[in-house]
Amino acid sequence: MPTETFEFQVEARQLLQLMIHSVYSNKDVFLRELVSNASDALDKLRLEKLRDDTLDADVSDLHIELDIDKDARTLTVRDNGIGMSYDEVGQLIGTIANSGTASFLKELREAKDAAGAEGLIGQFGVGFYSGFMVADEVTLVTRRAGESKGTRWTSRGEATYTLETVDDAPQGTSVTLHLKPADPENQLHDYTSPWKIREIVKRYSDFITWPIRMVPETGEGDFAPEAETLNSMKALWARSREEVSDDEYHELYKHISHDWRDPLETIRLQAEGTFEYQALLFVPAHAPHDLFTRDFKRGVQLYVKRVFIMDDCEALLPPYLRFVKGVVDAADLSLNVSREILQQDRHIRMMQRRLTKKVLSTVKEIMTKDADRYATFWREFGTVLKEGLLTDSENRDAILAVASFATTHSEDEPTTLKQYVERMKDGQEDIYYITGESRQSIENSPHMEAFRDKGIEVLLLTDPVDEVWVDAVGEYEGKKLRSVAKGEIDLDAKGEEKADGEREKQTEEYAGLLGWMREQLDEDIKEVRLSTRLTVSPACVVSDAHDLTPALENMYRAMGQEVPRAKRILELNPDHLLVKGLNQAYKESADRSGLAESAELLHTLAVLAEGGQPKDPARFVKLVADRLERTL
Ligand code: ADP
């Protein structure tokens, strides 16, 4: 087959441009990325051979080799792992599969300064392409295990790459970087220096479990020089805490997670006894872009006695901890273990329980020790963690203990439930909250008026999951969680103000209007009553204590579930001039057609005030415009 030329996918081209113009200041990491890919390829071949020993591949000396050619100014990273077929090279190297890439690139273009760009790039494993930070041409030769022909891929990182079939490629993959011209000013970045390569491998890839060998350049003498193994190959999770530096842990994290930044927290766990295992888990410092997408790859790496078994092992952590990365190395599992078996295995379930508790207790520790780090954690992962309130009743209290929420008590400091309870007023029995889309929209909602007046704290819950967990959890330490927009709120009972007598008198006075309005609004409203929660607005709509809120109804519909639209309750503020006027008009006139319009408008205003949509916007606009016209 002749050499064929292909165009890079648009996103791939953009990413390459970024690499070539090197927004990333620490170029050394290209080697970490290539070694990481090579190591993965060796893991994959080992596994494939284990599952199918007829596979025509040599697994007797799996390793990574680094070759320097000073004269040609090339550096080659070679592995004898799984390799890629012709088609795979085109797919894997010519395109970017990750769906987050487009949005990432957009953010990157919008990043104002270099530091911002570097931060963003750091979120994103650019892997193989990082070679173009140091090379102006890259050649990759690869042969898929079990196939006889190989493939050569070359590119200068511009618009195109070439593919060509080669007859004599060795098993595995070699990536040759044609290094950019040496910079006499900056000897530090000479990647043809064995000293430099040794240092980079030691720093970034020491824990790789396969040997990384460097072959010295053939000298003048007769001796074939000995290859030197650069890494210690010690699994970090099997070493004692004192032996391993934070930096080493962080490099392992980067290898596993494809995140370029340090993790927020490293968690170690050693379980002894009948079912022995070691775990090294990481809490990232930033939520990945695709955390809430369906195809987010969750789970940790599973090893059995230092041998890599699988990536993304979901069975080891519950979905609400899907942001946690790391390694679990179990002593007594079969090397052939499958995902299906893991899902059912009793020991694995016990591991999951233990690891879950360990992660939650670590978050608790961060919370007590370091407010800033806790704030980062909750900002990035709070929304995910709250899913656990629905799915993990065993750890509900532990999750509630580390949760925090925006509150009317403070503009910017969130509160824990414990702190809320400590601040509760004498006689206040419940924990009040309001749900909605944004702090601003709910803080000014009419439902809040009486609470604001009386200085009663309300939690401001704005994540979609909040709508659901508050109902599921119901209470905290014996205190009910109550929505300010649901059911009857009787703040008067907690002291002062309107005497019972006055209230009864008002109810009597308004009885006719309330009944008549209920009939008028029958399609949407099941009750019209006087409100105790309004002080400024004329009216608001509330849900019955056990009905779904409109937001929840919408959520179910978005998920494709049929839910009937619950009729709601309209509350009127008897002290508001508009409401007083309505009552007057109701009592005085026999023709109530104009009044019917007013009732409708009042209802729509109440819906708008809580952030809802008018049922018939055009009609609403017309009614309001007519009335405005009459006032001119
Ligand atoms: P990532 O490693 O983040 O997936 P890369 O761009 O580094 O992204 O690599 C893309 C894919 O190309 C890898 O997922 C892997 O399937 C394949 N690949 C890269 N390097 C090698 C290699 N040395 N051997 C086999 N496959 C490789």
Side-chain angles (χ1 to χ4, degrees), residues 10-40:
V10 180
E11 282 85 9
R13 204 151 69 211
Q14 290 175 334
L15 211 49
L16 279 165
Q17 281 307 306
L18 285 168
M19 288 301 105
I20 291 165
H21 299 118
S22 255
V23 252
Y24 204 71
S25 58
N26 180 9
K27 299 188 171 68
D28 292 359
V29 292
F30 80 90
L31 191 57
R32 168 185 84 196
E33 298 297 305
L34 296 182
V35 164
S36 186
N37 282 349
S39 166
D40 290 346

Side-chain angles (χ1 to χ4, degrees), residues 37-38 40-41 44 79 82-84 92-93 125-129 173 258:
N37 282 349
D40 290 346
K44 283 183 198 155
D79 66 72
I82 191 81
M84 287 172 270
L92 296 169
I93 304 292
V126 283
F128 176 78
Y129 288 174
T173 304
H258 297 234

Side-chain angles (χ1 to χ4, degrees), residues 263-265 267 282-287 291 320-324 359-367 370-386 398-399 401-404:
L264 188 72
E265 183 69 37
I267 306 173
F282 299 98
V283 177
H286 303 268
L291 191 57
Y320 72 92
L321 295 182
R322 60 184 174 275
F323 54 89
V324 174
V359 173
L360 291 174
S361 66
T362 306
V363 175
K364 183 83 210 251
E365 235 175 83
I366 299 177
M367 188 177 190
D370 187 339
D372 283 350
R373 248 151 42 92
Y374 165 73
T376 304
F377 171 82
W378 192 256
R379 187 187 65 231
E380 298 294 320
F381 302 112
T383 312
V384 195
L385 212 68
K386 282 187 283 189
I399 300 171
V402 298
S404 56

